[in-house]
C-alpha cells in the first residue's frame, strides 16, 4: 500500500474506532486526526506524511528529556525481558520500585520520604485525597473529609481529580461529582481563609494546589502566597498537598515547582516528567512524620492500590529518565532556557499589538492575547485557536487556553531545548502572529 493510501486508511479507522481523550469530538469524527505521529527526536515530532514540527508542549507537558531516547528503550526492553511486572500488593516488592522510591526521597523537597505509586496524575490525586482522609480517620478525626482546591486548577479526570479541578467545564462534563470538594479563589489567601471558616477547619482534610497552574493557563503564584498557604494550613491542622504533575522533574527550573517558594508540603503528587512519557507512572510522596503516623496508627490493611502501583518496567524507565535529567543538567538548562524564552516572549510582545502579558517560570510559559494592550480588553471571541492552527502549518505545536474568558497560549518545550531552538520556536510564533494580525486587519 502506498503512503497516501495508508494514511487514508488510518484516518478512516481513527474516525470510526478511536474515541480521543479531551478532544473536539465532532471535529475529530468529521475530519479525522490532524497528525498521525510516527517518530520523535529531541524537540521534534514527525507525522506519517513526513511533516516535522517542534513539540512546543513536550506533548502533554511531559516529555521532559525529549523524544527518541534509545537508552530508555533499552532499559525498558531489558526490564521487560527480566521482569515486566509483579505485584506490589501486600508485602511483595520489586527492585526498580524500591530503588525509585529511594531516589525520589533523595531528590524531593524537605522531608518527603516515601512514595505510593500510581499509573498517572489523576490516580495520584485521588490517592492523595484518600490518604489524607484516611490519615484523619487514624487520628480519630473522621469528620475531616473536605478537600479544598482552587479556581483555574486542573488535577485530572478520575472522579476525585475531576471533583478537585477548579476549571468548571471539566466538572460540568459529568452530571454528578464527588462530595466534599470546595474551591478557593486561586492566589487569594483571604479566599482560602474564608472557605476554611465557612466549612469549619475541623471538617477540612487537605488543601491541594499546583505550584504553577498549568492547564488552567500557566498562572504563577505571587511572592509570599505559598508561605502564607503553608501557615494557614499549619494554623488549622490542614494537610497541604502540592500537585507537581506538570511542575515536577525540572519543568520550572528547579527539581520541583514548590522549591521556588521555600515551602515543603505534607504530600506531593507527581507523574508526567517522572518518566518523560516513556512509561505510564505517577505517585504520591508523603512526609516522614506522616509516614511514621500511618505506620504507628494503622491497625489493618492500607486498602488502596492499583494493579500497576510499582510497575517494574515503568519504575526502571523512571530511574533512567532521572539519571538523564541529572547527567545532562536538564534542571539547570530549564532555568537558563526559560530565561531565553522569556526574553524572546518580551520581544514578541513589543512586536505585536495583540500580545498582552507574557510569563515564564523555567520552561513553562504563557502569552496572553488582547485586543487592547492598554486596557487588557479581550477579543469578543478567542483568537488563540486560530494561532494554534496557523502555528501548526508553520511547524510548531502549542496549546490554547480559553477557559474563564482567557485567550492564552501556553508552552512547555522539552528541557533539552537549546538557545537556537528557542529562537526557532519564537520565530514561528512571530510569523504566526503576523499572519493572524494581517487576517484581523482584512476582516
Ligand atoms: N494534575 C495536573 C497538575 C495535571 O496537569 C494533570 C494532567 O495534565 C493531572 C493531574 C492528571 O494527570 P493524568 O493525565 O496523568 O491523569
Amino acid at each position: 500500500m502506498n503512503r497516501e493510501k495508508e494514511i487514508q486508511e488510518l484516518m478512516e479507522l481513527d474516525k470510526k474506532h478511536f474515541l480521543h481523550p479531551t478532544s473536539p469530538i465532532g471535529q475529530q469524527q468529521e475530519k479525522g486526526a490532524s497528525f498521525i505521529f510516527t517518530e520523535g527526536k529531541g524537540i521534534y515530532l514527525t507525522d506519517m506524511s513526513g511533516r516535522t514540527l517542534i513539540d512546543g508542549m513536550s506533548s502533554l507537558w511531559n516529555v521532559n528529556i525529549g523524544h527518541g531516547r534509545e537508552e530508555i528503550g533499552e532499559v525498558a526492553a531489558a526490564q521487560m525481558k527480566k521482569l515486566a511486572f509483579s505485584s506490589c500488593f501486600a508485602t511483595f516488592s520489586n527492585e526498580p520500585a524500591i530503588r525509585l522510591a529511594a531516589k525520589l526521597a533523595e531528590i524531593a523537597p524537605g522531608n518527603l520520604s516515601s512514595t505510593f505509586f500510581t499509573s498517572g496524575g489523576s490516580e495520584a490525586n485521588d490517592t492523595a485525597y484518600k490518604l489524607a482522609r484516611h490519615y484523619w480517620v487514624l487520628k480519630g478525626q473522621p469528620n475531616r473529609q473536605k478537600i479544598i482546591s482552587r479556581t483555574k486548577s486542573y488535577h485530572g479526570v478520575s472522579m476525585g481529580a475531576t471533583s478537585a479541578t477548579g476549571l468548571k467545564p471539566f466538572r460540568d462534563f459529568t452530571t454528578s461529582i464527588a462530595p466534599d470538594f470546595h474551591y478557593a479563589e486561586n492566589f487569594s489567601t483571604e479566599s482560602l481563609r474564608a472557605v476554611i471558616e465557612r466549612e469549619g477547619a475541623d471538617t477540612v482534610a487537605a488543601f491541594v494546589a499546583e505550584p504553577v497552574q498549568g492547564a488552567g493557563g500557566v498562572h504563577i503564584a505571587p511572592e509570599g502566597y505559598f508561605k502564607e498557604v503553608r501557615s494557614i494550613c499549619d494554623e488549622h491542622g490542614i494537610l497541604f498537598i502540592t500537585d507537581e504533575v506538570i511542575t515536577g522533574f525540572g519543568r520550572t527550573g528547579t527539581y520541583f515547582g514548590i522549591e521556588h517558594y521555600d515551602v515543603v508540603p505534607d504530600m506531593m503528587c507527581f507523574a508526567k516528567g517522572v518518566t518523560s512519557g516513556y512509561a505510564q507512572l505517577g505517585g504520591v510522596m508523603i512526609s516522614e512524620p506522616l509516614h511514621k503516623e500511618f505506620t504507628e496508627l494503622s491497625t489493618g490493611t492500607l486498602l488502596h492500590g492499583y494493579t500497576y502501583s510499582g510497575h517494574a518496567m515503568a519504575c526502571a524507565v523512571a530511574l533512567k529518565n532521572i539519571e538523564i535529567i541529572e547527567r545532562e543538567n536538564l534542571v539547570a538548562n530549564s532555568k537558563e532556557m526559560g530565561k531565553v524564552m522569556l526574553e524572546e516572549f518580551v520581544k514578541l510582545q513589543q512586536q505585536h499589538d495583540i500580545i498582552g502579558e507574557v510569563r515564564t517560570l523555567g520552561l513553562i510559559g504563557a502569552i496572553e492575547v488582547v485586543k487592547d494592550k492598554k486596557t487588557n480588553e479581550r477579543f469578543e471571541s478567542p483568537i488563540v485557536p486560530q494561532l494554534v492552527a496557523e502555528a501548526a502549518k508553520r511547524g510548531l505545536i502549542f496549546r490554547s487556553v480559553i477557559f474563564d474568558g482567557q485567550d492564552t497560549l501556553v508552552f512547555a518545550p522539552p528541557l533539552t531545548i537549546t538557545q537556537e531552538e528557542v529562537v526557532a520556536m519564537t520565530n514561528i510564533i512571530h510569523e504566526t502572529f503576523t499572519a493572524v494580525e494581517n487576517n484581523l486587519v482584512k476582516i
Side-chain angles (χ1 to χ4, degrees), residues 352-373:
H352 296 279
D353 289 341
I354 64 167
I355 295 187
E357 186 180 299
V358 297
R359 50 185 179 267
T360 65
L361 191 65
L363 283 169
I364 185 168
I367 294 178
E368 287 192 1
V369 175
V370 290
K371 190 172 173 187
D372 185 334
K373 266 190 211 232

Side-chain angles (χ1 to χ4, degrees), residues 196-378:
I196 294 170
E197 188 150 322
R198 186 189 72 210
E199 297 302 321
D202 57 355
T203 69
V204 180
F207 171 67
V208 59
E210 302 154 82
V212 174
Q213 291 189 318
V218 181
H219 297 288
I220 302 165
E223 193 66 29
Y225 170 75
F226 278 114
K227 274 245 153 91
E228 204 179 334
V229 162
R230 178 73 264 187
S231 69
I232 293 171
C233 288
D234 289 345
E235 198 183 308
H236 297 286
I238 293 168
L239 296 174
F240 176 36
I241 306 169
T242 50
D243 181 348
E244 295 261 8
V245 167
I246 285 181
T247 50
F249 303 94
R251 171 57 57 201
T252 68
T254 49
Y255 230 129
F256 294 92
I258 201 67
E259 290 168 39
H260 288 283
Y261 306 103
D262 200 18
V263 159
V264 178
D266 302 299
M267 297 188 184
M268 176 180 90
C269 303
F270 66 88
K272 297 192 190 273
V274 67
T275 59
S276 291
Y278 284 82
Q280 305 87 330
L281 186 71
V284 182
M285 295 195 71
I286 64 171
S287 70
E288 206 168 357
L290 225 57
H291 188 193
K292 194 159 171 277
E293 286 192 274
F294 267 116
T295 316
E296 285 172 3
L297 298 174
S298 222
T299 49
T301 300
L302 194 135
L303 281 176
H304 182 74
Y306 302 98
T307 296
Y308 298 125
S309 289
H311 190 283
M313 185 279 290
C315 291
V317 163
L319 280 164
K320 184 50 90 178
N321 172 63
I322 293 170
E323 187 189 311
I324 292 172
I325 290 175
E326 292 185 348
R327 191 178 72 211
E328 298 185 4
N329 295 317
L330 295 182
V331 181
N333 195 59
S334 171
K335 187 173 174 196
E336 280 311 298
M337 291 305 112
K339 285 185 198 150
V340 176
M341 190 163 90
L342 184 60
E343 282 163 18
E344 291 296 314
F345 281 5
V346 169
K347 279 189 214 159
L348 292 170
Q349 190 185 40
Q350 288 157 357
Q351 288 165 322
H352 296 279
D353 289 341
I354 64 167
I355 295 187
E357 186 180 299
V358 297
R359 50 185 179 267
T360 65
L361 191 65
L363 283 169
I364 185 168
I367 294 178
E368 287 192 1
V369 175
V370 290
K371 190 172 173 187
D372 185 334
K373 266 190 211 232
K374 288 193 202 86
T375 60
N376 239 5
E377 188 196 340
R378 314 257 174 209

Side-chain angles (χ1 to χ4, degrees), residues 129-145:
Y129 313 152
K130 284 179 70 180
L131 287 181
R133 287 167 173 163
H134 183 66
Y135 170 79
W136 289 116
V137 170
L138 293 178
K139 295 279 284 180
Q141 297 183 54
N143 286 340
R144 280 194 181 261
Q145 297 166 340

Side-chain angles (χ1 to χ4, degrees), residues 376-393:
N376 239 5
E377 188 196 340
R378 314 257 174 209
F379 286 96
E380 288 70 36
S381 52
I383 299 291
V384 285
Q386 261 186 69
L387 289 157
V388 169
E390 288 296 325
K393 285 188 210 159

Side-chain angles (χ1 to χ4, degrees), residues 79-105:
Q79 186 61 46
M80 275 192 178
K81 282 181 199 166
K82 210 161 63 168
L83 175 73
F85 173 80
S86 60
S87 166
C88 289
F89 276 33
T91 54
F92 295 167
S93 204
N94 69 68
E95 184 174 353
I98 297 169
R99 294 209 181 279
L100 179 59
K103 181 68 193 174
L104 289 169

Side-chain angles (χ1 to χ4, degrees), residues 60-61 119-125 154-158 161 210 212 214-215 243-247 269 271-272 281 399:
L60 281 174
W61 327 78
S119 316
S122 302
E123 286 182 0
N125 274 273
Y154 181 79
H155 298 291
V157 294
S158 54
E210 302 154 82
V212 174
D243 181 348
E244 295 261 8
V245 167
I246 285 181
T247 50
C269 303
K272 297 192 190 273
L281 186 71
R399 225 210 242 189

